[in-house]
Amino acid sequence: MIKNFVSFLCNASPFLAVIILWRLQLHFWNPGGILAIIPIFFYSFVRPIHWFTPFAILFCFLIDYAFDTKLFWTTMYFIAYAINGFQYFIDLERADKNAVVPFMIFLGFSLFVLMIINISWVMIFRSCWMFVWVSAMYIPITNLMKKVHGDD
């Protein structure tokens, strides 16, 4: 019984990580629940899980809702999903360091587009801060998720 419960928690950990990181919204440290984009990216492209894509789309929409952007993060997710379809050019499942460089490209491009759409000094600072903070949190969060989920 307990073994089944632990197995269930291990299998549910990617979904729980997204929910927890989205709910822990703090104005400076996790604006709009942006840290939830880490498990969304990781379990959609680096270590794909069956039935995670609809969940990821829903939470990209919820991040849009929290950021008050009109389908921006959802659109960026769809673009990354389309680019990831070219698996013979890009193989994120075998990338080193949990594919931190492709994640930084995805995040940097997204924040750059968001910054250009609404350019101001505050937005430039906020985009730079979010890029540095979320990129720095990528490796520890993905390593923790791999240990909990049992991907090691």
Side-chain angles (χ1 to χ4, degrees):
M1 180 72 170
I2 292 181
K3 186 177 181 180
N4 290 339
F5 182 70
V6 170
S7 175
F8 170 76
L9 283 179
C10 288
N11 291 333
S13 65
F15 301 94
L16 294 173
V18 172
I19 293 169
I20 290 168
L21 288 173
W22 182 75
R23 284 295 292 161
L24 291 176
Q25 297 177 25
L26 299 170
H27 180 69
F28 188 72
W29 298 106
N30 191 12
I34 192 64
L35 288 178
I37 207 77
I38 294 172
I40 288 172
F41 183 88
F42 187 73
Y43 284 112
S44 292
F45 305 121
V46 182
R47 301 277 190 270
I49 296 177
H50 296 296
W51 296 103
F52 192 78
T53 303
F55 185 78
I57 293 168
L58 171 68
F59 270 88
C60 284
F61 180 76
L62 291 174
I63 290 171
D64 283 326
Y65 175 75
F67 261 105
D68 198 24
T69 54
K70 307 283 191 265
L71 297 176
F72 176 77
W73 290 102
T74 309
T75 303
M76 289 297 145
Y77 178 80
F78 282 136
I79 290 170
Y81 197 81
I83 291 171
N84 191 47
F86 298 112
Q87 275 297 328
Y88 48 90
F89 291 125
I90 304 168
D91 193 9
L92 295 179
E93 292 182 33
R94 290 184 182 82
D96 59 339
K97 297 179 186 168
N98 299 337
V100 68
V101 173
F103 175 75
M104 289 173 67
I105 291 170
F106 165 74
L107 183 67
F109 177 75
S110 300
L111 290 174
F112 180 74
V113 169
L114 196 60
M115 181 181 66
I116 294 299
I117 290 172
N118 192 10
I119 191 131
S120 69
W121 288 109
V122 172
M123 193 62 184
I124 291 171
F125 172 73
R126 187 173 185 192
S127 295
C128 290
W129 165 248
M130 283 195 322
F131 178 77
V132 169
W133 177 244
V134 176
S135 296
M137 293 305 294
Y138 183 79
I139 294 288
I141 289 175
T142 55
N143 284 339
L144 180 66
M145 288 186 317
K146 281 172 49 178
K147 287 184 193 276
V148 170
H149 189 248
D151 288 345
D152 257 347

